[in-house]
Structures are given as C-alpha cells and as structure tokens.
Amino acid sequence: MKKLTALMLAAAMAAGCAGCGSAPQKTDPAGTQAQASGGGEAEKPAGTAAGGEKEIVEFWYHAADEKTNEIYEGLFERFNSSQDQYEARYTGFANKDFPDKFAMAIATDTMPNVVSLGFSNVMTYVAQDALVDVNRYFDSWEDKDKIVPSMVNTLKDLAGGPLYGIPYNYNQDVSWYNTRFFEENNIQVPKTQKEFLALCQQYANPDEGTYFFSLRGVKPYDNLLGWLFTWTDGGGYGGSYFDENGTCIINKPEFAEALDAYASIYKNGWVSGDCVNNNFNEMVAEFGSQTAMYIMHNSSSKTSHLNNLGDGNFGVAKALANDQGRYYTSAIQPQLYAVTNTKGQDGDYTGAFELIKFLSSAEVIEEIDQKTGRIPVNKDNYDDTWFVEDKYMPLYQEIITDENFIQIQNPYWLTTYFNFINNDMTADFQAVLLGEMTSQEALDRWADFLTKEQAAYESGK
C-alpha cells in the first residue's frame, strides 16, 4: 500500500509515451465574490442558485502566482462560456496561505466545491472529513483511462481504496544552474554530492556577496530528504523510512553524517547568512539575482527562472548522486483536484466533477504545464508537439526510467506527516544550522516521532 515507487510511474509513463512557488492571491476570496454577486448574505459556495440559474462551482487553487492566476482565469472563462449549467469561480492562494485559509473554511463550513492539493496533505484533510471519495464519478468518466493509472492507484493506495482526487500533473526534483556562470568559469555541472560540496567551497565569495548555492532553510524537506537518502544510499532500506519492524531508520549514524555534511554548507559560510530563513521565494530570488548560481528544486520553478533570468540563461540537471551513482528524490507525487464535502458524502457532486474533467483534459493540461513546467499525467499529452520538443521534458522522462533513480517513500499515509515536515522539520533543521542542536539530536527526534506515528497507524488499520 505504501510503496510509492518509481517503478510504477516508469511503467505507466513507458506505456503512455515510451511542493511550488508562491505569490499573493490575485482574485478575491470565494466568500467575497459570492457576497458581491448576491447582495445580502454571502452565498455558501456549494449551493445551486434558485429559479433555474446556473449552479455555482467554487474552486480554490493552492499554489498560485501571477502566471497561474492568469492561466486559470482564462480557463474558467472558457469553461463558463462552453456550457450553460454551471458558473465556475476561481480563487488563487499563495502556497503559504492556502493551508490556513482552507482550515478556516473547513472549520466554518464554507469550503469551496473543488480544491487543488499537493499529495502530501490529502490524508490530513480526509481525517477532517473535508474530501469526498470520487470513485463513482471517475469510474463513469469516459476518459478515465487517459490518466496515468499508477498515479490514480497511488492515490487509492494512500487512502486504502477511496479516491480523494484526480491527479493532473506532478513535479520532478531536479537542480537548476546558471549557464553563463558555468560557461565563464568552465564548470562542469556537478553529478555527485561530493563534487557539489567542492564547488560550494570554491565559489563562495562572501566579500562580493556571491555564492555557488542557495540553501533552503524553511520547509527544506524535499531538498533535505533527497540529500540524506542519497548520501546514505537509503540506509540499507531503499527509499523506506522504516525497517522491517516499523522502526524509523533516519537517525542511523550515516544519516547524521549526511546532515552534518549538508549543514556544513551554511556553517562554513558557503551560502548567504540569509539562507537559514530562505523559503521558496527567497531561494529563487537569490538564484534569479545571481547571488547564487545553483539551486535544488523541482520542475515547477521553471517559470520563476524564465522571469528572473530569461530563456537560455539557466539549465536543468538530474539531482545529485552518491558514490554508487544512485540518487533519491522526494517530490514525485501528483498534484490533484479534489471535491470537498459540502453536501455530505453521498451528495450530488456532478457539477464539481464536471469542472475537474475539464481541468484534467489534455488540451487544458497542455496550456497549464507548457507554461508552468509541470509534467502531465494525461497520456494524450505525451504525443503533443510541445511535450516532445520541450527542452526539459526529455530529461524528466529519462529520470523516471533511470535504474539509478529511487523514489523516497514519504509516509503520507500518516495524517501528522504534513505538519511534521512543514513545522518540526523546519525548526529543527534551522536549529542544526545555527548550532543550537546537533544533527544526531534532530534526527533522533524525527525518528522517535515517526516510529510512534507508524505504530499508531498500523494498530489502527
């Protein structure tokens, strides 16, 4: 159930074709829109207007920026003009703001009808009875087989059978580098962690305020976990956090060594002093301003690099490998569109799913992914000219079928995991960088917590 392996994804991709920037929201919140259109009290997003009027379908996007707001607003105009039964309304939230906004909507029974989510927080919202199993709608959808089956099965496995959303794309962990800097200094793109560390040391220039690397100190989990599992070659358990007894392995001595090596980049002054507080925006800003020449992030940040550096001034490479040539990454999990529980689990959610079907179509996914750099899961897209000729997609396909690539099996089935990686991991990692906690102490805390959570999960099955 819990094995979110690259093998499954590779097989699906081969059959079909061979978490995340953030920015302030652009559109008004759903409640404000409803109030403006209705007069007195704000309409509840889930309602159908009386007198034969169109049913309102509210949608919240969880990781909006200026580009995605522009894309989705245009798509919603197209959807609304294509039929006369539903009026879909779009609201985009910054990634950092969405969890609090959605939590408030759950608590106050003012959820929109459809939300986009990252894979990591699905079970948290399921535990709050906020999402609806859409198996019945998916099974009757004539295009359901076009959605990569392994992605759908991954979601079903996560929940033990129910399907709490339709996957529409995924992000691939990669490294981004400044091509001009590399060419001017005759630098080969590092392939291994040790080559990378040497470059961090060689090109750190605090006096000039320039560095080889920008480290992410806030919500570092994908970068950090990829580093730890790669350095240790999975600690003898591939990409699993747990041994055969359900004990978390990430506090083994080799993981502490790996965290020491990663933290040394900051402690040695090989990155800016601000990096301890860098979130996505700050990390990308350092790269875009050429304060740093190399970052680790996923495929979704392409748009930011295009805006900051311009096309042709940056390149993409595989994640760093260990001495054995293997590399582990954390971020290949789908993003999904989920129906929220606004009418009870047995309610009629036809309108919500009609919007999801539209947003999951190959034509719409092409428009979204071509402009954002995300990777589609609608198999019709794999023959599209834009996909075949894209300068980045071939690398992503190469990674997904590479025998040296290993997918880390993040325990998203634990409902506390999302909060853990966002809050506990950030605080402890920052403490390690600042010398307030040793690597072993931080890893012991994480392993103890995850071991207990896994035991509670197993006992409750």
Side-chain angles (χ1 to χ4, degrees):
M1 165 180 172
K2 298 168 291 201
K3 304 298 183 184
L4 312 179
T5 62
L7 182 60
M8 293 171 58
L9 296 175
M13 290 298 232
C17 62
C20 58
S22 61
Q25 69 181 60
K26 181 177 180 181
T27 58
D28 292 331
T32 303
Q33 293 173 333
Q35 191 170 22
S37 64
E41 292 184 316
E43 298 175 29
K44 185 175 177 180
T48 303
E53 296 178 2
K54 292 184 178 182
E55 177 183 346
I56 296 170
V57 181
E58 296 279 3
F59 172 88
W60 286 5
Y61 183 64
H62 76 290
D65 56 21
E66 185 174 350
K67 174 62 70 175
T68 54
N69 278 331
E70 179 182 346
I71 294 169
Y72 275 98
E73 286 167 358
L75 290 172
F76 273 58
E77 288 180 8
R78 189 189 310 172
F79 175 78
N80 288 335
S81 64
S82 70
Q83 46 73 45
D84 58 8
Q85 191 171 357
Y86 308 105
E87 178 186 340
R89 297 178 177 178
Y90 169 78
T91 303
F93 291 99
N95 186 268
K96 65 182 178 62
D97 296 332
F98 178 83
D100 288 342
K101 296 290 187 181
F102 192 48
M104 179 61 70
I106 295 170
T108 58
D109 195 25
T110 56
M111 288 185 292
N113 306 92
V114 181
V115 290
S116 67
L117 298 173
F119 185 78
S120 60
N121 52 12
V122 170
M123 296 311 294
T124 299
Y125 297 134
V126 168
Q128 298 175 55
D129 196 28
L131 305 182
V132 172
D133 178 4
V134 295
N135 263 314
R136 53 181 165 147
Y137 298 100
F138 184 75
D139 288 343
S140 62
W141 182 21
E142 62 182 9
D143 289 336
K144 65 178 184 296
D145 292 335
K146 295 181 179 181
I147 308 301
V148 173
S150 66
M151 291 290 188
V152 175
N153 292 335
T154 290
L155 285 165
K156 290 183 177 181
D157 288 346
L158 179 71
L163 180 63
Y164 288 109
I166 304 303
Y168 62 97
N169 65 35
Y170 71 93
N171 294 324
Q172 171 67 62
D173 271 355
V174 290
S175 296
W176 300 95
Y177 62 95
N178 184 304
T179 52
R180 183 180 62 81
F181 177 82
F182 274 60
E183 290 168 0
E184 289 178 353
N185 291 278
N186 197 28
I187 300 173
Q188 296 297 313
V189 178
K191 295 182 178 179
T192 69
Q193 291 174 312
K194 291 181 180 177
E195 291 174 357
F196 163 78
L197 288 173
L199 290 169
C200 286
Q201 180 178 15
Q202 181 178 354
Y203 289 99
N205 190 342
D207 292 338
E208 295 293 330
T210 59
Y211 304 87
F212 182 77
F213 181 54
S214 179
L215 179 146
R216 184 170 181 171
V218 177
K219 299 183 180 179
Y221 40 87
D222 283 336
N223 299 358
L224 177 57
L225 291 168
W227 178 275
L228 295 177
F229 276 84
T230 297
W231 184 280
T232 63
D233 203 20
Y237 289 90
S240 175
Y241 281 61
F242 304 100
D243 65 17
E244 58 276 2
N245 299 315
T247 300
C248 184
I249 65 166
I250 62 173
N251 63 337
K252 295 175 69 173
E254 57 264 44
F255 281 87
E257 176 187 291
L259 184 50
D260 282 340
Y262 196 58
S264 72
I265 301 170
Y266 182 83
K267 292 181 177 181
N268 290 334
W270 297 345
V271 292
S272 74
D274 295 331
C275 277
V276 67
N277 293 314
N278 275 5
N279 204 333
F280 170 81
N281 285 338
E282 292 76 20
M283 176 182 68
V284 169
E286 287 195 343
F287 183 61
S289 66
Q290 304 185 72
T291 295
M293 310 303 166
Y294 183 101
I295 60 171
M296 302 173 189
H297 194 254
N298 62 57
S299 51
S300 70
S301 59
K302 183 189 79 169
T303 301
S304 296
H305 311 325
L306 284 170
N307 292 337
N308 293 335
L309 292 169
D311 193 19
N313 295 315
F314 60 91
V316 64
K318 292 180 181 179
L320 298 167
N322 55 32
D323 291 342
Q324 292 75 37
R326 287 184 285 272
Y327 54 104
Y328 295 66
T329 73
S330 174
I332 298 189
Q333 291 90 29
Q335 293 185 319
L336 61 143
Y337 297 124
V339 175
T340 61
N341 183 15
T342 56
K343 303 177 182 179
Q345 290 292 341
D346 296 325
D348 182 2
Y349 294 97
T350 303
F353 201 77
E354 284 298 314
L355 177 61
I356 288 176
K357 287 161 59 175
F358 170 79
L359 293 174
S360 301
S361 66
E363 180 183 1
V364 169
I365 292 300
E366 175 180 351
E367 183 166 348
I368 295 173
D369 288 3
Q370 188 175 9
K371 294 178 179 179
T372 63
R374 294 186 172 91
I375 308 166
V377 299
N378 187 316
K379 291 187 288 185
D380 280 357
N381 290 123
Y382 301 151
D383 294 325
D384 289 344
T385 300
W386 75 270
F387 186 91
V388 174
E389 297 181 354
D390 187 273
K391 67 175 68 175
Y392 307 103
M393 294 298 170
L395 177 66
Y396 303 152
Q397 286 186 273
E398 179 184 343
I399 291 171
I400 204 70
T401 57
D402 187 348
E403 64 180 10
N404 288 314
F405 164 72
I406 300 173
Q407 170 66 34
I408 300 171
Q409 297 158 21
N410 293 328
Y412 292 121
W413 56 89
L414 304 178
T415 59
T416 54
Y417 184 73
F418 181 67
N419 184 69
F420 164 74
I421 58 175
N422 277 285
N423 297 315
D424 298 61
M425 187 172 283
T426 289
D428 292 348
F429 179 58
Q430 289 178 320
V432 171
L433 295 182
L434 297 172
E436 298 168 354
M437 181 183 292
T438 68
S439 295
Q440 189 65 61
E441 288 171 341
L443 293 170
D444 284 343
R445 283 166 55 94
W446 302 351
D448 180 64
F449 172 80
L450 292 172
T451 297
K452 291 177 179 176
E453 292 299 300
Q454 178 68 4
Y457 169 78
E458 292 290 348
S459 66
K461 288 169 61 175

